[in-house]
Amino acid sequence: MSEIQQEQVLKLNKIRDAWLPAVEFLFGPAYEKAQFLGFEVSSDIATPEMIAPVSEQPFAYKVKVPARSFTNEVMLLADVIQVLVKGLSPSHDKEDQATALSEGAAVYGAVTAIKQVFGEETLDSYLNALKDNGFAYYDAFSYVAVLLTEDPKAIKKIREMKPLLYQVEKSDFAAAGIEIDRKIADILTYTFRE
């Protein structure tokens, strides 16, 4: 690992250490079997990737972050926050499908952090870019925002029953005591499609 990559990994770890308590405050603690194994920086990828390098530990994961994320502080923060949220309920099987709920929660976490650090104007730019370039993510975020407007602790309540967000089913909302429109519950539990 080059000296630049070492500095980048150090920066990623500092961001993770600073923001993990806030992410857990919003969405609850990490799944008990989840194990973060560290960051890698790669110039060969365009978006962050979670990889499970140890087959004997199915919920252990590393995070690869694109080198280009370091050229924009807003994107770097968004990328790290999104993988922190996903790391609360990491997938252990390639067959696991992300849902609108799991992807939307990751974007919601990033939006919350961007607003806090960079303010409303930067947040508006980020959301406009997301709407234009990644509408599926924007859409998933908007439905999670509706859910959390109705019940700010909804995701925590659901994760107490089902800590892995991608496993949540429509009936789990009612079981957790969350009153939400049936259509929104349907959308949140659909398989996420880019």
Side-chain angles (χ1 to χ4, degrees):
M1 185 184 309
S2 73
E3 189 174 324
I4 291 173
Q5 286 176 320
Q6 287 176 343
E7 289 174 17
Q8 290 171 328
V9 167
L10 183 62
K11 184 173 186 170
L12 293 168
N13 282 320
K14 285 182 180 179
I15 295 169
R16 181 179 187 273
D17 291 346
W19 282 95
L20 187 57
V23 167
E24 289 182 333
F25 176 80
L26 274 176
F27 302 119
Y31 178 55
E32 63 187 23
K33 294 180 183 177
Q35 184 181 7
F36 175 68
L37 301 175
F39 288 106
E40 291 179 13
V41 177
S42 174
S43 57
D44 300 332
I45 58 174
T47 58
E49 297 176 359
M50 294 178 72
I51 53 173
V54 185
S55 60
E56 299 81 39
Q57 298 172 296
F59 293 98
Y61 65 95
K62 283 186 152 190
V63 175
K64 281 188 173 182
V65 176
R68 75 179 194 168
S69 293
F70 290 88
T71 63
N72 181 316
E73 291 294 319
V74 175
M75 286 310 301
L76 180 63
L77 180 61
D79 285 351
V80 174
I81 297 297
Q82 287 183 40
V83 294
L84 285 179
V85 174
K86 290 177 182 181
L88 298 177
S89 54
S91 171
H92 71 289
D93 187 339
K94 293 196 184 297
E95 300 300 313
D96 293 333
Q97 299 281 326
T99 61
L101 177 63
S102 58
E103 288 296 333
V107 175
Y108 187 93
V111 164
T112 302
I114 290 168
K115 181 178 179 182
Q116 186 172 344
V117 174
F118 298 103
E120 288 285 339
E121 192 172 310
T122 301
L123 176 59
D124 289 344
S125 294
Y126 176 80
L127 288 173
N128 287 332
L130 190 62
K131 194 184 302 183
D132 293 342
N133 302 313
F135 187 77
Y137 292 96
Y138 179 84
D139 197 42
F141 155 74
S142 67
Y143 284 105
V144 168
V146 168
L147 170 68
L148 294 176
T149 298
E150 295 290 322
D151 184 344
K153 294 183 179 182
I155 292 178
K156 280 183 173 180
K157 290 176 182 177
I158 288 215
R159 288 194 64 240
E160 285 176 8
M161 294 173 21
K162 286 208 174 153
L164 303 174
L165 276 182
Y166 55 86
Q167 292 180 344
V168 173
E169 298 170 352
K170 185 171 79 171
S171 61
D172 295 326
F173 291 101
I178 300 164
E179 293 184 26
I180 189 164
D181 183 87
R182 185 177 54 87
K183 179 183 173 193
I184 293 173
D186 283 341
I187 291 168
L188 286 169
T189 55
Y190 288 155
T191 299
F192 181 76
R193 304 222 186 278
E194 285 186 66

